Amino acid sequence: MKQPDLQAIRDWADAKLATGQEPPWAWFQYMKLRETLDCILASQEVTQTVNSPQSEQYPETHLRLVGATYPQDNAQSRQDQPPVQTPM
């Protein structure tokens, strides 16, 4: 989201808090929203975008599902560990 959009949401939360008519649980949620937006807006102010190869747009890639090479039920146990003794 862009900074003006975040500021608009923060202003909306401030307006809700200013009415004083919100129930305690809603008031608490609006305060958390406002504090979170304050942190995001403050971090946006101190962060600057640099033209670097990492900031270039890359073609969209998709994840693909790959089957497991060694399923758990076929995996061999390690032989270098002694067997676990359970109490009877």
Side-chain angles (χ1 to χ4, degrees), residues 34-75:
R34 195 178 89 173
E35 290 172 356
T36 302
L37 289 169
D38 285 343
C39 290
I40 293 170
L41 290 168
S43 67
Q44 284 182 342
E45 289 176 9
V46 297
T47 306
Q48 58 179 326
T49 304
V50 177
N51 292 332
S52 66
Q54 286 96 7
S55 64
E56 293 178 5
Q57 293 293 333
Y58 290 100
E60 187 174 326
T61 58
H62 300 283
L63 297 176
R64 61 185 177 100
L65 183 61
V66 178
T69 307
Y70 297 103
Q72 277 187 327
D73 53 350
N74 293 344

Side-chain angles (χ1 to χ4, degrees), residues 72-81:
Q72 277 187 327
D73 53 350
N74 293 344
Q76 295 179 352
S77 62
R78 294 179 54 179
Q79 299 299 325
D80 60 341
Q81 293 181 349

